[in-house]
């Protein structure tokens, strides 16, 4: 029981780190800027995805791997985890944490959805006074500030795209040895579909018109996922 609690804690920490990395990378790339809005969104998507995939699909496995006998030794000599290969105990120790991480990420859309309703409501309640029921009472001193309080936030579509690519890559990379990842990924996509429909309808401003560059960029990244399925899947099957 204690081991499961610790594993769940590690998975939760990974999800939190993913969220922090997304925020930092989005702010950094936005500060640097691109020639067009579509290019900037594509750059943010790629940057957030790279950080998220490394943190979710690589780092957790890497810290538990033992590569001390592989080249280049000046790097691998410091990687001295307990597992030399995909042995049965790896699935119980590392695989379980990976599954828990993906399962937590499948629930995150509902948490984000609830926060999207709760935070604006609380801000408006504080603005008019916690005990006041007068909807026309406000502490704002300008119409622009008042409208901003009751307007939705910007829709961060690039944030969603990077998450979708990460789910596909992690699922394809470890799905052969951990087939439970496939129904978890389907559950995640269903949750995102439901939550995004509600978010776009009730919470955010009308998204800006974009060309197909962001969509093509996402499809391009997803198209490489079957290679991970073949390569890492063969490795998993060769070490039962």
């Amino acid at each position: 029981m204690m081991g499961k609690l610790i594993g769940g804690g590690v998975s939760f920490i990974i999800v939190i780190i993913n969220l922090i990395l997304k925020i930092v990378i989005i702010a950094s790339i936005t500060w640097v800027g691109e020639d067009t809005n579509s290019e900037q969104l594509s750059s943010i998507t790629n940057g957030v995805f790279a950080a998220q995939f490394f943190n979710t699909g690589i780092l957790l496995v890497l810290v538990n791997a033992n590569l001390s006998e592989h080249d280049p030794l000046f790097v691998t000599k410091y990687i001295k985890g307990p597992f030399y290969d995909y042995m049965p105990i790896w699935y119980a120790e590392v695989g379980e944490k990976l599954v828990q991480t993906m399962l937590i990420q499948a629930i995150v859309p509902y948490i984000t959805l609830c926060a999207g309703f709760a935070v604006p409501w609380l801000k408006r309640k504080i603005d008019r006074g916690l005990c006041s029921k007068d909807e026309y009472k406000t502490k704002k001193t300008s119409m622009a500030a008042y409208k901003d309080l009751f307007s939705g936030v910007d829709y961060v579509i690039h944030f969603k795209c990077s998450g979708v690519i990460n789910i596909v890559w992690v699922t394809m990379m470890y799905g052969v040895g951990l087939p439970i990842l496939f129904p978890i990924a389907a559950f995640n996509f269903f949750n995102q579909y439901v939550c995004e429909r509600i978010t776009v309808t009730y919470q955010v401003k009308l998204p800006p018109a974009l060309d197909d560059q962001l969509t093509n960029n996402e499809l391009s990244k997803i198209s490489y996922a079957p290679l991970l399925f073949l390569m890492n899947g063969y490795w998993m099957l060769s070490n039962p």
Side-chain angles (χ1 to χ4, degrees):
M1 178 64 70
M2 183 60 70
K4 290 184 177 180
L5 290 175
I6 293 174
V10 171
S11 301
F12 183 75
I13 290 173
I14 291 174
V15 173
I16 295 300
I17 293 175
N18 281 337
L19 293 175
I20 295 174
L21 285 173
K22 285 181 178 180
I23 294 172
V24 172
I25 292 175
I26 288 174
S28 301
I29 296 179
T30 302
W31 178 72
V32 173
E34 292 284 357
D35 293 335
T36 65
N37 188 39
S38 296
E39 289 180 358
Q40 178 169 295
L41 294 181
S42 296
S43 296
I44 291 175
T45 299
N46 296 338
V48 172
F49 158 66
Q52 189 175 8
F53 178 71
F54 177 79
N55 187 48
T56 306
I58 302 297
L59 186 60
L60 180 62
V61 177
L62 189 62
V63 297
N64 288 280
N66 192 320
L67 303 178
S68 57
E69 298 178 1
H70 298 273
D71 293 326
L73 293 177
F74 70 91
V75 175
T76 57
K77 67 180 180 180
Y78 299 106
I79 305 176
K80 298 180 180 180
F83 302 108
Y84 289 89
D85 217 325
Y86 288 116
M87 53 190 66
I89 194 174
W90 181 92
Y91 294 93
E93 296 292 333
V94 182
E96 182 180 7
K97 294 184 180 66
L98 188 61
V99 171
Q100 288 175 347
T101 300
M102 299 302 291
L103 191 56
I104 292 173
Q105 288 186 350
I107 306 299
V108 166
Y110 291 107
I111 299 176
T112 305
L113 181 66
C114 293
F117 282 111
V119 173
W121 176 85
L122 183 60
K123 288 182 178 179
R124 295 162 192 166
K125 192 70 175 176
I126 293 174
D127 176 66
R128 73 169 65 105
L130 295 178
C131 299
S132 175
K133 296 183 179 180
D134 185 0
E135 296 182 356
Y136 298 98
K137 183 180 179 180
T138 180
K139 298 175 184 177
K140 302 300 181 184
T141 57
S142 67
M143 184 60 69
Y146 183 76
K147 287 182 177 180
D148 186 63
L149 180 65
F150 283 86
S151 299
V153 297
D154 293 327
Y155 185 52
V156 284
I157 186 172
H158 44 287
F159 194 99
K160 318 294 182 177
C161 291
S162 62
V164 169
I165 301 173
N166 180 65
I167 293 168
V168 173
W169 274 49
V170 173
T171 301
M172 297 296 280
M173 186 169 185
Y174 300 104
V176 171
L178 300 169
I180 189 64
L181 290 177
F182 290 104
I184 290 177
F187 178 60
N188 196 328
F189 291 145
F190 173 77
N191 293 342
Q192 288 199 34
Y193 173 78
V194 172
C195 292
E196 292 310 309
R197 296 273 294 185
I198 298 174
T199 297
V200 172
T201 305
Y202 297 105
Q203 291 185 356
V204 300
K205 300 175 184 176
L206 182 66
L210 298 172
D211 56 21
D212 61 350
Q213 183 171 349
L214 188 62
T215 302
N216 291 335
N217 175 73
E218 183 174 7
L219 293 176
S220 174
K221 298 299 181 294
I222 290 177
S223 65
Y224 292 104
L227 296 177
L228 296 176
F229 182 82
L230 293 174
M231 293 186 294
N232 201 57
Y234 176 79
W235 188 1
M236 284 182 153
L237 293 176
S238 63
N239 294 276

